Amino acid sequence: MTTSPAAHHPTGADPAPEPPAGRPAEPARTARAHSFNAAAAQYAANRPSYPPALFDAIEDLTGRPLTGSRVADVGAGTGIATALLHARGANVVAVEPGDGMAAQFRRALPGVPVIRGTGDDLPLADASVDLVTYAQAWHWTDPARAVPEALRVLRPEGALALWWNTDALDVPWIAEAAARTERHFGIDVSAEKRNLDTRAADPTGRLDFTRRTVRWSRRVPVDTHLANIGSHSVFLVHGAEHTAAFLAAEREHLLRAFPDGFVEEVYEVVLLLAETPA
């Protein structure tokens, strides 16, 4: 659910920035990856979804509808992306390693199968799916293992689609929030989007990715926005006191900027899609 050395930002993706070569060291990476399980309900209730235009772009790039396609949604988490793929008519099987996330998934989507496993060792048969998807999840894999695994389970002319909600840092209030996050946690927020590229996604160069960006937004209460922020791994592992202090200060900043108590989170979904090599 790491391919890039991209930094985390509260309302965007959850990349892990530790070296070397984009692969955070253990046990920090394991702690961050596992941190979501205790916060699965918070994650499900407050994380942003994805716009219809994202799935339109996937259909456009693959040249076929999602309806009737066999899809493996890997690192499915609580099922945010899985539910949207299912609603588009795809025949989806979810792959999720975490106990808490899988339990939340089953509560939300009791009719959709979820299999325990990771992208580095997919519990799927060879040539069994048309599309492998990773929503906010590829950065938790080892691409040297995950790329061959995706190619193994894909049928001929299948495709691998990776995407992340990233913050629209050209929006002033989001840029100001990012600066506060940088100061408090000592991270490079702008690195996130810079490192969501094809070389980081597949360092071996076996896949030819096409990149699309879809901009969208949602208007939510300040408390929903803060709960979204708090469900990201950098907050979950940083310690309750440190995180609570940041969120309390952030709430004051946001209510001064948005006295009606609502913020418009603006995202750019970065989509990387590659078809199986001929």
Side-chain angles (χ1 to χ4, degrees), residues 70-77 82 92-98 102 105-106 112-119 121-125 128-129:
R70 176 77 171 167
V71 180
D73 187 30
V74 187
T82 313
V92 191
V93 58
V95 178
E96 168 55 41
F105 182 104
R106 291 188 181 98
V112 178
V114 57
I115 304 171
R116 303 299 299 281
T118 73
D121 187 16
L122 289 171
L124 301 170
S128 59
V129 297

Side-chain angles (χ1 to χ4, degrees), residues 13-270:
D14 231 318
E18 295 86 350
R23 294 281 299 154
E26 302 288 355
R29 177 175 181 266
T30 299
R32 290 184 66 169
H34 291 175
S35 67
F36 300 109
N37 290 299
Q42 179 181 348
Y43 188 114
N46 300 289
R47 283 287 184 111
S49 185
Y50 305 101
L54 168 66
F55 301 97
D56 294 341
I58 292 171
E59 291 181 329
D60 180 51
L61 290 171
T62 60
R64 58 180 175 270
L66 284 166
T67 300
S69 294
R70 176 77 171 167
V71 180
D73 187 30
V74 187
T78 62
I80 294 172
T82 313
L84 296 172
L85 290 161
H86 180 70
R88 295 284 288 229
N91 182 9
V92 191
V93 58
V95 178
E96 168 55 41
D99 291 339
M101 298 293 261
Q104 187 69 37
F105 182 104
R106 291 188 181 98
R107 284 191 286 271
L109 298 169
V112 178
V114 57
I115 304 171
R116 303 299 299 281
T118 73
D120 295 345
D121 187 16
L122 289 171
L124 301 170
D126 294 359
S128 59
V129 297
D130 302 301
L131 180 66
V132 175
T133 61
Y134 282 81
Q136 312 290 128
W138 185 254
H139 52 275
W140 296 117
T141 71
D142 176 357
R145 298 174 62 188
V147 168
E149 276 295 273
L151 293 176
R152 178 183 65 79
V153 304
L154 282 168
R155 294 169 177 162
E157 300 183 353
L160 171 65
L162 323 174
W163 67 83
W164 294 263
N165 268 324
T166 68
D167 293 303
L169 294 174
D170 59 322
V171 176
W173 81 264
I174 294 177
E176 292 165 4
R180 291 191 294 269
T181 304
E182 289 183 346
R183 290 193 297 269
H184 195 81
F185 290 99
I187 60 176
D188 179 4
V189 169
S190 64
E192 176 183 78
K193 213 170 292 185
R194 290 199 308 270
N195 288 287
L196 297 182
D197 60 20
T198 59
R199 186 175 62 85
D202 177 20
T204 69
R206 296 178 65 183
L207 298 175
D208 183 15
F209 282 101
T210 299
R211 180 181 174 124
R212 292 276 182 91
T213 300
V214 177
R215 192 177 179 99
W216 73 287
S217 66
R218 67 171 189 167
R219 190 169 185 266
V220 297
V222 165
D223 287 341
T224 298
H225 173 73
L226 293 173
N228 169 27
I229 290 174
S231 74
H232 285 75
S233 64
V234 72
F235 289 87
L236 295 173
V237 303
H238 232 90
E241 185 175 342
H242 192 64
T243 293
F246 176 84
L247 293 177
E250 191 65 12
R251 192 174 196 278
E252 293 182 7
H253 283 295
L254 292 173
L255 288 176
R256 284 196 294 270
F258 302 99
D260 67 348
F262 284 82
V263 302
E264 184 173 6
E265 298 174 347
V266 185
Y267 297 99
E268 290 185 340
V269 184
V270 177

